[in-house]
Amino acid sequence: MAGGAPRIFVSHLSGVPVFDPAGDQVGRVRDLVAMLRVGGRPPRLLGLVVEVVSRRRIFLPMTRVTGVESGQVITTGVVNMRRFEQRPTERLVLGELLDRRVTLVATGEEVTVLDVAIQQLPARRDWEIDKIFVRKGKGGALRRRGETLTVEWSAVTGFSLEEEGQGAENLVATFEQMRPADVANVLHHLTPKRRAEVANALDDDRLADVMEELPEDEQVEILGKLKEERAADVLEAMDPDDAADLLSELPEDDKERLLTLMQPDDAADVRRLLSYEENTAGGLMTTEPIVLRPDATVADALARVRQSDLSPALAAQVYVCRPPDETPTGKYLGTVHFQRLLRDPPFTLVSSIADTGLPPLRPDASLPAVTSYLAAYNMVAVPVVDESGSLLGAVTVDDVLDHLLPEDWRETDFHSEEAVRGH
């Protein structure tokens, strides 16, 4: 790639797969690491932050990169699996440079960085940032679309300064095709300041999905930097059990204030969950399983299961209950598993095929009891009922795993497997 090496804009590298020479995928690009230099010299690109299969982020030096083309990165095959740790002299290109407000040297006009271009130096393996794609005009979500232009790195100034109120629109655009868990992993490695800026740029539903995948201390940090009205909106968009877990980490006054700002129905679900002990079926359950009346048909059930916002665990079964349909329901009658729905004609009543042999759990059932139930009956969710037999909610296997894994599992997942591969 020496000589007339092509210029590559970094936004096109976000999420690009990384392969070794044998064609095996190592991971995906999540960011680029650069080192700013004095005297207006273009920053040197040190390497890539690559997320491997275990979601661990590692550092891949540019000296190990043999090709960046056709939507993929090719390495020499030698990859150090040590976790990436950003040094004080390093800057994350996607995480810290995009959306930044900088100044054109020639005119003194402020512009917003939309993208950054990198290029390999002739006859060397070194890479550097050589161009900046910017937009004129004021920043902010409501700004008018101004003129865009590509300029040399030396034509702008302001990257070395700490910026308050940096936008995040262009960084957020690189997240569009990423799963919430992957976006959460990116946010986890940003500075608290940048994490708050990105959170402000995400819409409520997307932010809610991402926060559910973050460690609780970072959820509390982000929630505390949102305006209270928006914090309440995000809590409403979260699954009730996740919202309850988050609120339980807050001081009592803050928790009550946010609950008061939430819609009454949403707040009622969360308050009910907060009334249970944390490591019990009641504390673990979601209050929004799929509930159908006895006269509903298989066609009705499949229509509910198809809803895209349902998790796979919740979509794996429906619960047949007498009205009312929302928890707490009327009397719980049984469970219909997804496989059974696929085997019976669409006009079949769900009450006629409900599995009535599996006993539901009480809300005070312990975490070991819930775990044993799921393992014994090979289930991915278990119904929870009160003394009168009304369905209160369902505990899904992903919620159980969240409480069984160590608190730092996001940092250590698959660590042992990686250690074995490293040897």
Side-chain angles (χ1 to χ4, degrees):
M1 295 185 63
R7 180 174 295 114
I8 301 166
F9 282 94
V10 297
S11 63
H12 299 161
L13 290 178
S14 177
V16 163
V18 179
F19 296 96
D20 64 20
D24 294 324
Q25 185 169 335
V26 175
R28 290 185 178 275
V29 176
R30 291 306 182 207
D31 216 318
L32 299 88
V33 183
M35 182 176 67
L36 302 183
R37 296 192 282 192
V38 298
R41 298 169 61 198
R44 181 183 170 209
L45 191 65
L46 303 177
L48 308 175
V49 179
V50 176
E51 184 177 296
V52 295
V53 65
S54 64
R55 291 173 57 195
R56 173 185 289 258
R57 287 165 36 119
I58 65 170
F59 178 69
L60 177 64
M62 292 307 293
T63 54
R64 301 287 188 187
V65 174
T66 59
V68 182
E69 52 194 18
S70 301
Q72 62 184 10
V73 174
I74 307 297
T75 76
T76 60
V78 181
V79 177
N80 188 333
M81 298 301 290
R82 184 182 299 115
R83 186 179 303 279
F84 167 67
E85 297 288 347
Q86 186 179 359
R87 297 173 181 173
T89 57
E90 297 172 344
R91 295 291 181 270
L92 296 177
V93 178
L94 292 173
E96 299 180 50
L97 301 190
L98 295 195
D99 302 289
R100 195 175 184 89
R101 296 287 291 170
V102 293
T103 303
L104 293 175
V105 174
T107 64
E109 182 179 1
E110 274 201 341
V111 293
T112 301
V113 177
L114 303 183
D115 213 339
V116 173
I118 60 174
Q119 192 168 34
Q120 189 175 22
L121 299 179
R124 298 167 60 186
R125 283 194 174 184
D126 285 347
W127 292 70
E128 66 180 21
I129 295 175
D130 71 333
K131 300 282 187 181
I132 311 294
F133 182 53
V134 300
R135 174 186 288 130
K136 294 183 178 181
K138 294 290 185 181
L142 300 178
R143 66 172 179 244
R144 295 180 61 185
R145 298 291 176 180
E147 176 191 356
T148 58
L149 63 157
T150 302
V151 298
E152 300 286 342
W153 174 269
S154 59
V156 300
T157 183
F159 279 106
S160 61
L161 301 176
E162 185 70 17
E163 179 175 343
E164 296 296 332
Q166 181 179 352
E169 290 182 350
N170 296 287
L171 175 57
V172 168
T174 68
F175 297 160
E176 287 183 359
Q177 303 303 316
M178 294 171 62
R179 294 176 180 271
D182 296 326
V183 178
N185 196 37
V186 174
L187 261 64
H188 177 64
H189 292 87
L190 295 178
T191 63
K193 168 185 170 293
R194 195 67 178 124
R195 195 153 48 231
E197 290 163 349
V198 173
N200 278 321
L202 294 170
D203 64 52
D204 292 348
D205 290 337
R206 182 68 159 162
L207 179 56
D209 290 340
V210 171
M211 284 182 61
E212 290 172 0
E213 305 295 338
L214 284 169
E216 287 181 348
D217 59 336
E218 290 175 8
Q219 292 185 41
V220 172
E221 170 200 303
I222 290 174
L223 197 72
K225 292 182 179 179
L226 299 176
K227 292 182 178 179
E228 286 191 341
E229 291 78 7
R230 190 181 181 217
D233 291 341
V234 172
L235 287 166
E236 290 171 4
M238 294 176 71
D239 289 338
D241 52 326
D242 291 306
D245 288 343
L246 173 51
L247 284 170
S248 68
E249 299 295 317
L250 301 181
E252 194 64 32
D253 289 347
D254 294 343
K255 176 173 66 178
E256 189 57 38
R257 190 161 53 251
L258 288 170
L259 283 167
T260 302
L261 289 171
M262 293 173 64
Q263 292 294 325
D265 289 347
D266 294 318
D269 285 342
V270 175
R271 288 184 189 277
R272 182 150 48 91
L273 291 170
L274 286 168
S275 69
Y276 300 111
E277 293 293 329
E278 180 180 0
N279 289 322
T280 63
L284 295 169
M285 71 182 179
T286 176
T287 57
E288 298 178 341
I290 302 177
V291 177
L292 292 172
R293 298 186 181 190
D295 59 353
T297 65
V298 166
D300 297 326
L302 289 173
R304 294 285 300 278
V305 167
R306 288 192 193 100
Q307 293 178 2
S308 60
D309 58 343
L310 283 174
S311 70
L314 280 180
Q317 59 277 302
V318 300
Y319 301 102
V320 183
C321 305
R322 299 199 184 281
D325 303 343
E326 296 184 355
T327 58
T329 67
K331 184 176 178 58
Y332 165 75
L333 301 177
T335 300
V336 183
H337 308 285
F338 178 66
Q339 281 186 322
R340 184 62 191 265
L341 294 174
L342 296 177
R343 292 198 298 263
D344 283 87
F347 53 79
T348 305
L349 297 180
V350 291
S351 56
S352 69
I353 57 174
D355 186 344
T356 58
L358 289 175
L361 290 179
R362 295 287 297 278
D364 58 356
S366 66
L367 176 59
V370 176
T371 306
S372 298
Y373 184 105
L374 292 170
Y377 296 113
N378 296 318
M379 302 286 285
V380 294
V382 51
V384 180
V385 303
D386 63 13
E387 294 179 355
S388 66
S390 297
L391 183 71
L392 298 174
V395 181
T396 59
V397 67
D398 54 315
D399 289 322
V400 172
L401 286 174
D402 279 345
H403 285 74
L404 290 178
L405 290 169
E407 289 186 4
D408 62 346
W409 68 267
R410 291 174 176 83
E411 297 291 339
T412 58
D413 52 341
F414 292 97
H415 178 74
S416 297
E417 179 185 341
E418 289 178 10
V420 170
R421 280 207 293 253
H423 285 80

